[in-house]
Amino acid sequence: MPPRSERLNNLPPYVFSVIGDRLRELQAQGINVIRLDIGNPDMPPPSDVVDKLAASAENPANHGYTGYRGDAAFRRAVADYYQRRFNVKLHPDKEVLPLIGSKEGIVNLSLAYLDKGDIALVPDIGYPSYSMGALLAGGDVHWVAVREDNDFLPDLMAIPVDVLGRARLLWINYPNNPTGVTVEQSFYERVAAFCVEHDILLVSDNAYIDVVYDGYKAPSALQTNVGRSHTVELFSFSKSYNMAGWRLGAAVGPENAISDLLRVKSNIDSGHFKAIYDAGSEALNSISPSWIEERNAVYQRRRDRVMAALPSIGLSARLPGGALYVWARVEDIDMTQYVEDALIQAHVSIAPGLAYGPGGAQHVRISLGVPDDQLEIALERLQSWYANR
Ligand SMILES: *Cc1c(COP(=O)(O)O)cnc(C)c1O
């Protein structure tokens, strides 16, 4: 075998891939582990969406390549959604591009904008792919502190001037994974103005735009008055519509950024199966607010259940306003030890805070994407482990 590339040597294995390997080993020993570590919705998408997929797959004409910009009706459905929901106008052929999930868009945008010496401004803590995308592209990561005393918002004023000079991308994500923090539109105005001033592309990874609690409605970063020229948003069907395995999303934003991303993508992938586009259009055009509210009510009940249990398992947390997680501080044990003991002694897998950046050293992330009965058993196991430790 030839030696690995330096690029690959610098890239750690994906954290949930490592956890998954470990869980398979435990399962092979006959141990049943409940997974509260992964953000994978446990409920299905609406049946109309699944029916559309099946009907479209039956059409013999739908099995070929679909073109690098993807399906025109799908792009129009995305543009219509942004118009309806946010009053944001998008040109369906120039300002919308389908993605194979937003994770794909994160890495390919990094390839489009980062050379050696360029910097990606990455929230610490945040979704791991932002820093991994920068590493894959050969760029550098500058961690932007996201701390509880600043309401888990990025501290942009703390970024040194020389770093700003080399910065090309700023990643944000609200409703936030892992903290569950939400923002108002004024936040996007402020951040977009900052990015315009420093000529940085703002990427709003809006994976939880429809996973929200307590009546909150998430804004889009494209609703800003000042920043449209420098703002791309990544829309994902995975969490908002329970379609994580379908690998469908979209990048929306200014024509030049979309065409740069397309240039990368068209050399790497060749789009989706037409049936996936058709089902995605069906989701955008037909999922009702009540379907989303009912789904969110289930998560909200689980959220409240987990929040109530935290003191009895040595954790504390702010109430999340959106996304699929409780981001909890470990009170009196070392975090890594907590995760290890919860796994080995209570047979419950929880995500270690360090997976989300150096600022996560005292936190763990608990996912709400597990069926109620499994969640109850997991909490009971953790409570009895913690009480007898
Ligand atoms: C789950 C998640 C993603 C990945 O979404 P896909 O569309 O499934 O690739 C991206 N960003 C954040 C913040 C997530 O939590």
Side-chain angles (χ1 to χ4, degrees):
M1 285 287 280
R4 276 191 217 113
S5 68
E6 200 181 322
R7 182 180 307 108
L8 189 57
N9 274 334
N10 288 336
L11 190 76
Y14 197 61
V15 56
F16 293 105
S17 163
V18 175
I19 293 175
D21 289 346
R22 182 116 195 261
L23 292 185
R24 269 186 292 282
E25 281 168 28
L26 290 172
Q27 266 149 10
Q29 298 164 31
I31 297 170
N32 154 266
V33 175
I34 300 179
R35 294 197 72 169
L36 303 184
D37 60 275
I38 200 159
N40 190 10
D42 59 304
M43 294 176 277
S47 54
D48 286 354
V49 174
V50 179
D51 292 346
K52 190 74 182 184
L53 175 84
S56 180
E58 294 284 352
N59 183 342
N62 283 356
H63 295 267
Y65 290 118
T66 44
Y68 299 103
R69 281 182 191 270
D71 181 60
F74 174 80
R75 292 194 307 269
R76 210 160 43 242
V78 173
D80 288 348
Y81 170 88
Y82 267 81
Q83 174 72 60
R84 249 187 353 258
R85 170 81 191 269
F86 303 113
N87 201 22
V88 166
K89 277 199 185 5
L90 292 168
H91 192 300
D93 301 329
K94 297 177 179 163
E95 297 181 310
V96 179
L97 188 63
L99 295 175
I100 307 175
S102 48
K103 192 174 177 185
E104 178 256 295
I106 292 166
V107 174
N108 282 334
L109 273 171
S110 303
L111 289 173
Y113 288 101
L114 299 175
D115 279 322
K116 201 171 163 53
D118 295 340
I119 288 177
L121 301 172
V122 176
D124 168 32
I125 53 256
Y127 186 63
S129 291
Y130 312 139
S131 56
M132 298 304 153
L135 290 181
L136 269 173
D140 295 330
V141 171
H142 178 83
W143 295 111
V144 180
V146 172
R147 296 290 176 270
E148 185 157 6
D149 58 16
N150 192 32
D151 295 325
F152 290 120
L153 299 178
D155 186 3
L156 301 178
M157 294 309 131
I159 303 170
V161 177
D162 61 314
V163 169
L164 283 176
R166 292 199 284 134
R168 302 291 179 263
L169 295 171
L170 168 61
W171 298 98
I172 55 171
N173 156 234
Y174 295 95
N176 183 257
N177 173 9
T179 63
V181 162
T182 60
V183 295
E184 299 304 325
Q185 201 201 327
S186 58
F187 167 79
Y188 290 128
E189 300 277 349
R190 280 201 309 280
V191 178
F194 176 89
C195 286
V196 170
E197 182 187 343
H198 297 286
D199 202 17
I200 294 166
L201 184 66
L202 174 64
V203 191
S204 163
D205 177 22
N206 216 331
Y208 297 90
I209 208 160
D210 276 329
V211 184
V212 291
Y213 309 121
D214 309 313
Y216 168 80
K217 289 231 180 321
S220 160
L222 297 187
Q223 282 168 294
T224 139
N225 295 320
V226 289
R228 278 292 291 272
S229 64
H230 283 66
T231 307
V232 167
E233 189 153 84
L234 306 183
F235 179 89
S236 169
F237 290 67
S238 296
K239 320 303 183 357
S240 285
Y241 301 143
N242 299 347
M243 293 166 70
W246 295 54
R247 313 310 304 131
L248 186 61
V252 294
E255 182 177 354
N256 51 358
I258 294 302
S259 71
D260 291 343
L261 178 56
L262 175 62
R263 197 184 312 179
V264 177
K265 274 177 62 61
S266 59
N267 282 289
I268 294 179
D269 71 70
S270 303
H272 289 82
F273 178 28
K274 172 84 162 104
I276 301 269
Y277 287 129
D278 288 345
S281 302
E282 177 74 19
L284 288 167
N285 293 333
S286 78
I287 288 183
S288 66
S290 65
W291 183 87
I292 290 177
E293 278 163 28
E294 280 164 35
R295 192 274 317 274
N296 287 346
V298 174
Y299 288 151
Q300 186 172 323
R301 209 172 57 230
R302 293 176 188 165
R303 174 198 70 171
D304 294 341
R305 183 69 193 86
V306 170
M307 290 299 292
L310 291 183
S312 64
I313 55 177
L315 303 175
S316 69
R318 281 203 187 189
L319 187 69
L324 200 48
Y325 316 98
V326 172
W327 178 245
R329 171 182 281 273
V330 184
E331 293 294 352
D332 52 9
I333 313 180
D334 170 70
M335 182 276 291
T336 309
Q337 192 67 50
Y338 189 99
V339 170
E340 180 72 15
D341 289 356
L343 180 62
I344 299 303
Q345 294 173 30
H347 300 160
V348 176
S349 177
I350 294 175
L354 276 175
Y356 304 91
Q362 286 172 308
H363 286 78
V364 294
R365 193 192 75 170
I366 297 176
S367 171
L368 305 174
V370 275
D372 294 336
D373 56 338
Q374 289 290 297
L375 183 62
E376 285 307 321
I377 297 169
L379 291 175
E380 277 164 26
R381 286 184 188 177
L382 288 170
Q383 280 164 334
S384 103
W385 154 68
Y386 192 77
N388 297 309
R389 135 195 91 89

